Amino acid sequence: MDGIMMSLLAAKAQRLLINLYQKDVEDFYTGYVQEVASDGVVLNTYSDAGLADGAAYVTLGAIDSVEVAGADLNTMQYRIAKSNDKAFSAMPAAPLRLPLNADNPLLYQVAENMRRTGQAVVVVSMDAENYLEGQITEVSDSALVLKVFNKFNYSDHRQLTVDFSSLTVLEFEGYDLMLESVLLSQRGQLQHEPTSRYRNNGQLGKIFKIVRDAGQLIAVITRVNNDNFYVGRVRAVSNEFVVMAMLDMSGQFGGYAIIRLRNINFVLTDSDYVQTVAFYEAWATKQHFAQAPGLNRAREFNDGADFLADIVAEAEIMGKVLRVRSAEQSDPVNGSIVATTDKGFTLKPFGQSDAEDISFRYEQVLDLTFDSVYAFLQEEWLRDSE
């Protein structure tokens, strides 16, 4: 029996929170082992906010290492406990845990359970795009058939066969996948919406005021960070910045972002992805469900205010954690304010006790986010550690 299998069996027996690292990818899973078999492991996973996040099957051949102790896991244990203390809730109701038999391959069992229940899943395969979402329509001893759902393009109606030999991960039962299952129950009614894209030609301030007054959900794609984008509603605009109340990928409140106008590449006012997030948000509103009910969703901002300096000053006084992206830094920095000047501020990076403080000039800040659930939990950690 190899070391990875022994570590997984020990983690299951002792109910240890683990980090499971995969080969050749940066993504990893944090959670508790539900079951281990000869082909793989099923983890009950947790998000970075300490909320139960469904489950994931990972084939043994894709696992690089298993971590059972360390600073990251200590932080996650804290977040899980704090989320419980604050009455945060991962799901409106706990998912029905379907039984798994460790004497037989787990992948077939998970795939067949998802086929029978019609739940949306995420499949990661070496033979196709990294991530495929949709519903499993057929299962055999060696493969599954996935009816793909592309939340970015509703006109994508593919059906793919995924061999078990190439499949590395199958995610299921998380909140966003539950919402996707609800959305797919109306699949016949979904209409592809052509994307309305506005390039930054110096007139975005006018567009932002229009969509703000209409309460319209939009997506903002920045120049520096093209891999990620902001989805939310405009709260205020100045000559230099826009302030957005953000939504995460499951339509839950995601904090606020101050984005420098000159760093914006495109604004999307209509798209299938915006349509998807709007559906998720509307479902949660109708169900009166908020994963993190204690966050400040209703704060106001005034057009023309010095947003950046005002938030930095507030963060210094109240001990807020900020996430800052700057033209002077290649990666965003999470931290708390340790000093301010008329021209900038200095952050102490979060989670790195030996890291040097980092100074930012106001004129070089591209975007700054705050008041998310992650920032809230980091602020609680800092207060409890004092």
Side-chain angles (χ1 to χ4, degrees):
M1 185 180 296
D2 65 20
I4 287 177
M5 176 67 84
M6 291 179 63
S7 296
L8 293 171
L9 289 171
K12 180 177 184 291
Q14 300 174 45
R15 187 158 172 76
L16 299 176
L17 186 69
I18 66 170
N19 283 334
L20 190 153
Y21 296 93
Q22 302 172 75
K23 297 175 181 176
D24 303 322
V25 295
E26 295 182 0
D27 293 341
F28 65 93
Y29 292 99
T30 300
Y32 293 96
V33 175
Q34 179 183 342
E35 198 56 81
V36 188
S38 59
D39 64 322
V41 59
V42 172
L43 284 183
N44 295 327
T45 58
Y46 283 79
S47 71
D48 288 343
L51 295 174
D53 194 32
Y57 164 87
V58 184
T59 185
L60 291 180
I63 300 173
D64 182 65
S65 62
V66 177
E67 184 179 38
V68 299
D72 181 75
L73 287 168
N74 291 340
T75 299
M76 282 302 301
Q77 291 276 21
Y78 172 87
R79 291 181 180 180
I80 292 170
K82 181 62 69 172
S83 292
N84 286 333
D85 290 345
K86 296 295 182 180
F88 291 177
S89 178
M91 303 273 282
L96 177 63
R97 292 291 182 203
L98 298 171
L100 297 171
N101 180 359
D103 295 329
N104 295 304
L106 293 176
L107 178 53
Y108 175 87
Q109 297 177 68
V110 171
E112 178 61 14
N113 285 341
M114 294 302 102
R115 184 199 66 80
R116 287 191 293 107
T117 59
Q119 297 178 56
V121 300
V122 174
V123 172
V124 183
S125 169
M126 295 181 291
D127 292 343
E129 302 115 288
N130 282 339
Y131 293 89
L132 294 167
E133 297 184 26
Q135 292 169 301
I136 297 173
T137 59
E138 298 178 40
V139 181
S140 69
D141 291 338
S142 61
L144 61 83
V145 177
L146 186 74
K147 188 175 183 180
V148 173
F149 174 63
N150 186 342
K151 63 182 66 174
F152 297 94
N153 182 5
Y154 288 180
S155 65
D156 183 353
H157 298 298
R158 290 172 296 161
Q159 188 159 287
L160 301 176
T161 298
V162 181
D163 291 336
F164 287 167
S165 60
S166 69
L167 188 150
T168 57
V169 171
L170 197 161
E171 297 180 4
F172 56 103
E173 292 183 342
Y175 177 64
D176 55 333
L177 289 173
M178 183 212 76
L179 291 170
E180 188 170 310
S181 300
V182 176
L183 180 59
L184 289 177
S185 69
Q186 307 174 22
R187 192 166 195 159
Q189 304 170 33
L190 299 182
Q191 298 293 321
H192 172 62
E193 185 157 9
T195 299
S196 298
R197 184 193 307 264
Y198 295 88
R199 183 181 292 275
N200 189 352
N201 60 0
Q203 302 298 312
L204 288 185
K206 296 178 181 178
I207 293 173
F208 283 138
K209 289 179 180 179
I210 292 171
V211 297
R212 178 198 59 191
D213 294 344
Q216 187 172 354
L217 193 66
I218 63 169
V220 170
I221 301 169
T222 59
R223 299 183 191 278
V224 172
N225 187 30
N226 288 319
D227 292 337
N228 295 303
F229 50 89
Y230 299 96
V231 175
R233 290 184 174 84
V234 173
R235 288 292 182 85
V237 187
S238 71
N239 291 332
E240 291 187 87
F241 295 98
V242 60
V243 180
M244 292 181 64
M246 297 185 293
L247 296 180
D248 66 17
M249 62 186 297
S250 59
Q252 291 283 307
F253 175 70
Y256 299 97
I258 300 174
I259 309 168
R260 191 177 291 276
L261 295 181
R262 62 176 166 82
N263 185 41
I264 295 173
N265 198 2
F266 295 104
V267 173
L268 309 183
T269 56
D270 299 287
S271 74
D272 284 344
Y273 184 72
V274 170
Q275 189 180 176
T276 299
V277 176
F279 177 90
Y280 294 169
E281 180 192 31
W283 185 92
T285 300
K286 184 176 180 180
Q287 301 296 323
H288 305 288
F289 176 68
Q291 287 185 320
L295 301 183
N296 182 6
R297 291 167 170 77
R299 67 177 298 162
E300 299 292 334
F301 301 87
N302 297 318
D303 282 355
D306 192 348
F307 304 129
L308 189 57
D310 289 349
I311 290 301
V312 167
E314 176 187 294
E316 183 179 30
I317 295 169
M318 301 181 65
K320 285 184 174 292
V321 168
L322 307 176
R323 183 176 185 271
V324 183
R325 190 184 304 275
S326 166
E328 298 170 305
Q329 297 286 332
S330 58
D331 296 314
V333 178
N334 289 282
S336 54
I337 302 286
V338 294
T340 60
T341 68
D342 292 340
K343 295 184 177 181
F345 57 96
T346 301
L347 279 186
K348 180 176 181 59
F350 177 79
Q352 306 173 49
S353 58
D354 58 344
E356 295 184 0
D357 296 345
I358 301 175
S359 294
F360 298 89
R361 290 181 293 159
Y362 285 129
E363 62 188 18
Q364 294 297 315
V365 172
L366 300 178
D367 54 66
L368 181 149
T369 61
F370 56 99
D371 282 0
S372 68
V373 63
Y374 309 106
F376 172 84
L377 291 169
Q378 289 173 339
E379 290 158 13
E380 290 289 307
W381 171 279
L382 293 173
R383 293 187 189 100
D384 290 347
S385 300
E386 290 178 351

